[in-house]
Amino acid sequence: LETEVKSGGGGPAASDDDELASATALRAAVKNQSAEIAELRAALEAARKAVDKRLAADESREKQDVASLQTDQRAAEQRGRAYADRTASESDARTKQRIDGVEDALGAYKEQSGIALDNERDLIYHWIAGTFALLCCVIASAGAVAHARALARPEVQRKILALLWMPPIYGLCCWLSLVFPEYAPLLAMVRDGYEAYAIWVFVAFLIAVLGTAEAHGDGHGGYAPTSAATKYAVVIAKLATDDDAGEHPLPRAFCPPPCCGKKPPARTFVRQCVLAVMQFVLLKPLLAVTDYALEVTGADAGMSAWTDRARLGVLVLQNISVSVALAALLKVYHATAHRLRNHAPWPKFVCVKGVVFLTFWQGTVIWGLTCA
């Protein structure tokens, strides 16, 4: 505008004033526009700062969101791993439980199968043992009935009947011990008691055969009943006669001093043999009861070591008693064999000796194997 004023030439003063006023107004308008521009620039700067602040806040919030997402992701991964581990553990536990169940079922089946096989085997054993026990009872009963129907010599045949009852009693006790094992010790005491009684009956049988006098002198008549003292005296007299004749001398004695090792008189010899057998008859049941009491005590009180040693002592005493009884029976057989030749004494002696000797050592061997 100033350039235009200056280049306007020499116009009148009024136009100059107008132009100056318009220029001044124009300058004021320009200044106002500059102020507005400055205000706009300030507003733009403030807006820029606000935008930068908002961007910074958004960036911070975005970082927080990213961190939160990462935390959530890690937590989700941990939960996933924990779930996978828990699922795997539960699966392993279920698998192990199933395997254990199968193993338990298999073990129970094996146990039941073993029990069934054992029961079948025991049943076979019971049938076999029962068959032989029944056969033994039938044979012994037949012999007992035969003697009972023809009691020609009652004093002798009663002893035979007592001896004939021993195989059935022994067989039935053994069979019942197999069928009812818990009652085996009690049945063994019954068996041992009758076994000892049978040994004494055998000695009484020999004395009855030797000491019974015939009622008629021709040797074909009946036999007169005699008392026990008379039979005992007759046996002593016959043995003394044989010893004095020298054809059948008495065996050496196992008597106490002063006649130890010497040939005793007939009365002493018979008394020694009877006492030797009687000690077995008395000790056998007592030792059987003692052995049973020690077995029960050891099982209940837990003193198996002490009771085993005590039972070994009982076994030694039984061995000594059996040995003494066998020696006495052997001496009686040697002293009376020639007079009992018509009665076949050897098989009877072997049977009774087997009852004493074989059954004792059979039980000893079984007991030793059980302890081993």
Side-chain angles (χ1 to χ4, degrees):
L1 292 175
E2 289 179 352
T3 303
E4 290 180 356
V5 172
K6 288 180 180 180
S7 63
S15 60
D16 290 340
D17 291 336
D18 292 335
E19 292 177 357
L20 182 61
S22 61
T24 302
L26 184 60
R27 184 179 292 176
V30 170
K31 286 182 179 180
N32 290 334
Q33 289 179 356
S34 298
E36 291 177 359
I37 291 171
E39 289 178 359
L40 290 174
R41 186 176 293 172
L44 288 174
E45 186 67 24
R48 185 183 64 80
K49 289 182 179 180
V51 169
D52 291 341
K53 186 176 180 181
R54 184 177 296 175
L55 289 175
D58 291 340
E59 185 178 357
S60 177
R61 192 164 48 250
E62 184 179 357
K63 289 181 179 179
Q64 290 178 357
D65 292 340
V66 171
S68 178
L69 288 174
Q70 291 177 351
T71 302
D72 293 341
Q73 185 179 3
R74 286 194 295 269
E77 291 178 354
Q78 290 178 356
R79 286 194 299 271
R81 285 195 296 269
Y83 176 75
D85 294 339
R86 185 172 63 254
T87 304
S89 300
E90 292 176 355
S91 178
D92 292 341
R94 286 193 298 269
T95 304
K96 185 178 180 181
Q97 185 177 4
R98 291 175 183 175
I99 293 174
D100 293 339
V102 172
E103 290 180 351
D104 293 340
L106 183 60
Y109 175 75
K110 288 182 178 179
E111 184 177 359
Q112 292 176 358
S113 300
I115 293 174
L117 291 175
D118 291 340
N119 291 334
E120 291 180 0
R121 182 190 60 191
D122 293 341
L123 182 61
I124 293 174
Y125 292 164
H126 296 165
W127 275 104
I128 295 174
T131 301
F132 282 100
L134 180 62
L135 182 62
C136 177
C137 293
V138 170
I139 295 175
S141 299
V145 169
H147 278 283
R149 294 179 64 181
L151 284 176
R153 302 180 63 180
E155 296 181 358
V156 176
Q157 288 177 286
R158 282 197 294 267
K159 309 297 189 300
I160 296 175
L161 290 174
L163 291 174
L164 285 175
W165 282 118
M166 183 180 177
I169 292 175
Y170 203 96
L172 290 176
C173 287
C174 292
W175 181 68
L176 291 175
S177 298
L178 287 176
V179 178
F180 306 104
E182 62 274 11
Y183 299 108
L186 297 176
L187 293 171
M189 287 192 296
V190 175
R191 185 183 66 237
D192 292 341
Y194 199 86
E195 175 185 332
Y197 172 71
I199 299 301
W200 168 249
V201 169
F202 179 73
V203 176
F205 165 74
L206 295 180
I207 294 175
V209 172
L210 289 174
T212 302
E214 293 186 7
H216 303 282
D218 56 0
H220 297 286
Y223 290 85
T226 54
S227 62
T230 303
K231 288 185 287 188
Y232 190 76
V234 171
V235 171
I236 292 174
K238 289 182 178 180
L239 293 179
T241 301
D242 295 336
D243 186 54
D244 293 338
E247 296 181 358
H248 300 284
L250 294 176
R252 295 285 180 177
F254 51 91
C255 59
C259 59
C260 184
K262 299 179 182 179
K263 185 174 67 173
R267 183 180 297 277
T268 303
F269 173 80
V270 174
R271 184 170 59 250
Q272 289 174 359
C273 292
V274 171
L275 291 176
V277 174
M278 280 299 299
Q279 60 83 25
F280 174 77
V281 174
L282 295 176
L283 285 179
K284 181 68 173 180
L286 292 177
L287 293 177
V289 174
T290 303
D291 185 73
Y292 174 72
L294 290 173
E295 182 180 0
V296 173
T297 302
D300 293 341
M303 299 183 296
S304 59
W306 179 83
T307 55
D308 286 342
R309 289 193 294 269
R311 292 182 69 187
L312 180 61
V314 171
L315 186 63
V316 172
L317 291 177
Q318 286 181 348
N319 192 11
I320 295 173
S321 178
V322 168
S323 300
V324 173
L326 284 175
L329 289 178
L330 189 61
K331 290 179 181 296
V332 170
Y333 170 75
H334 284 301
T336 60
H338 61 285
R339 285 190 172 272
L340 299 173
R341 189 178 297 111
N342 295 331
H343 299 277
W346 174 247
K348 300 179 177 60
F349 175 77
V350 170
C351 291
V352 174
K353 185 177 180 181
V355 168
V356 178
F357 186 78
L358 295 179
T359 56
F360 170 77
W361 283 110
Q362 177 186 2
T364 302
V365 171
I366 293 175
W367 179 78
L369 293 175
T370 304
C371 293

